[in-house]
Amino acid sequence: MWWFQQGLSFLPSALVIWTSTAFIFSYITAITLHHVDPFLPYISDTGTIAPEKCLFGAMLNIAVVLYIATIYVRYKQVHALNAEENLIIKLNKAGLILGILSCLGLSVVANFQKTTIFVVHISGAVLTFSMGSLYMFVQTILSYQMQPQIHSKQIFWIRLLLAIWCGVSALSMLTCSSILLSGDLGTGAEQKLHWNPEDKGYVLHLVTTVAEWSMSFSFLGFFLTYIRDFQKISLRVEANLHGLTLYDTAPCPVANERKPLLSRDI
């Protein structure tokens, strides 16, 4: 059995591969059609103009589904392993809420381009990165609380480094983008798709784009750490038959069935 066939490890794997493919395809399309500059454009800039915006939006919407599924499976795993730990239960619920909010923001980013409705687009981006960063820190704390019985110290330190990487990138992006969009360096920066080194605010723009790509890579790296955890999980579906028809109120003589869903038992 291959490693990606074990348990539900294919979920975080598919998430990372699909999201990376969405970024790469939209970037290549935007560069080929000269819609953005080849050197470090904003991620959302590569999905602003048709046809790449159609590809970008469609693929990210599928990525959102994979993100939600991965976040929910992680939530159920932590809950099953720590059903009586009050602190872990609260942190786990907080992580689930933060993760879903981050996914909601990503869906907004995918479907509202900055050249169309900038306020909605930037609100979605802030929601995605802020809630996503907090989600990473919550999961890192959970990894610390669950060591060494469930999690090894190694996985905790890896997640801690990725969370710190994400936090530094988020702070850099927030600081530079706030200055860039304040209007002190001129207007129209939020709508620009092409930048020249002579433009005012070019350095700030460059730092912001580097921080945005860096933060995205930290997100993807964090979800890759779930692969080993998910190898120990199988998902089953149980069908309970309460009647032979939709309108039958009598007890059903047919026995209930349990079938594996998406994975075999480990």
Side-chain angles (χ1 to χ4, degrees), residues 86-104:
N86 290 331
L87 177 60
I88 292 181
I89 290 174
K90 292 179 180 178
L91 287 172
N92 195 31
K93 290 180 179 179
L96 177 65
I97 295 172
L98 291 170
I100 292 176
L101 288 175
S102 179
C103 292
L104 175 62

Side-chain angles (χ1 to χ4, degrees), residues 29-248:
T29 305
I31 293 301
T32 303
L33 298 176
H34 305 288
H35 290 163
V36 296
D37 298 321
F39 185 63
L40 289 174
Y42 288 113
I43 296 176
S44 56
D45 283 1
T46 63
T48 298
I49 302 176
E52 61 266 21
K53 75 174 183 179
C54 305
L55 180 67
F56 186 78
M59 295 189 71
L60 278 192
N61 284 328
I62 297 175
V64 167
V65 177
L66 293 173
Y67 273 105
I68 292 176
T70 303
I71 289 168
Y72 181 73
V73 171
R74 173 62 178 171
Y75 164 78
K76 295 297 290 184
Q77 180 194 39
V78 174
H79 177 74
L81 294 173
N82 303 272
E84 298 179 357
E85 297 287 340
N86 290 331
L87 177 60
I88 292 181
I89 290 174
K90 292 179 180 178
L91 287 172
N92 195 31
K93 290 180 179 179
L96 177 65
I97 295 172
L98 291 170
I100 292 176
L101 288 175
S102 179
C103 292
L104 175 62
L106 182 60
S107 179
V108 171
V109 169
N111 295 285
F112 294 88
Q113 292 75 35
K114 77 173 191 178
T115 54
T116 305
I117 309 178
F118 177 76
V119 175
V120 176
H121 177 85
I122 201 66
S123 299
V126 171
L127 188 64
T128 300
F129 289 124
S130 60
M131 296 297 104
S133 301
L134 291 176
Y135 173 81
M136 290 175 61
F137 278 100
V138 167
Q139 290 298 326
T140 302
I141 296 173
L142 284 172
S143 300
Y144 175 79
Q145 294 290 333
M146 295 165 65
Q147 66 170 341
Q149 293 84 0
I150 299 174
H151 279 306
S152 65
K153 292 184 178 180
Q154 181 182 12
I155 198 65
F156 161 71
W157 283 110
I158 291 174
R159 288 175 181 167
L160 179 61
L161 290 174
L162 287 168
I164 293 174
W165 174 13
C166 177
V168 172
S169 300
L171 182 61
S172 302
M173 186 177 70
L174 178 63
T175 302
C176 294
S177 61
S178 298
I179 298 174
L180 190 62
L181 299 176
S182 64
D184 296 337
L185 300 175
T187 59
E190 68 277 4
Q191 301 291 341
K192 290 185 66 172
L193 297 178
H194 297 277
W195 288 78
N196 297 313
E198 298 80 14
D199 294 338
K200 289 184 178 180
Y202 177 77
V203 175
L204 289 173
H205 160 75
L206 201 60
V207 174
T208 305
T209 55
V210 170
E212 184 184 41
W213 283 97
S214 175
M215 189 185 305
S216 300
F217 289 141
S218 69
F219 282 170
L220 297 178
F222 194 89
F223 280 101
L224 280 177
T225 65
Y226 284 173
I227 291 177
R228 189 171 182 180
D229 296 331
F230 280 32
Q231 287 177 338
K232 303 300 181 181
I233 303 174
S234 63
L235 190 62
R236 302 181 68 87
V237 60
E238 180 178 344
N240 295 312
L241 302 178
H242 300 287
L244 294 177
T245 69
L246 295 176
Y247 309 100
D248 190 2

Side-chain angles (χ1 to χ4, degrees), residues 244-265:
L244 294 177
T245 69
L246 295 176
Y247 309 100
D248 190 2
T249 58
C252 179
V254 181
N256 294 334
E257 293 188 4
R258 294 182 179 181
K259 296 292 184 182
L261 179 66
L262 302 178
S263 172
R264 64 192 70 182
D265 290 329

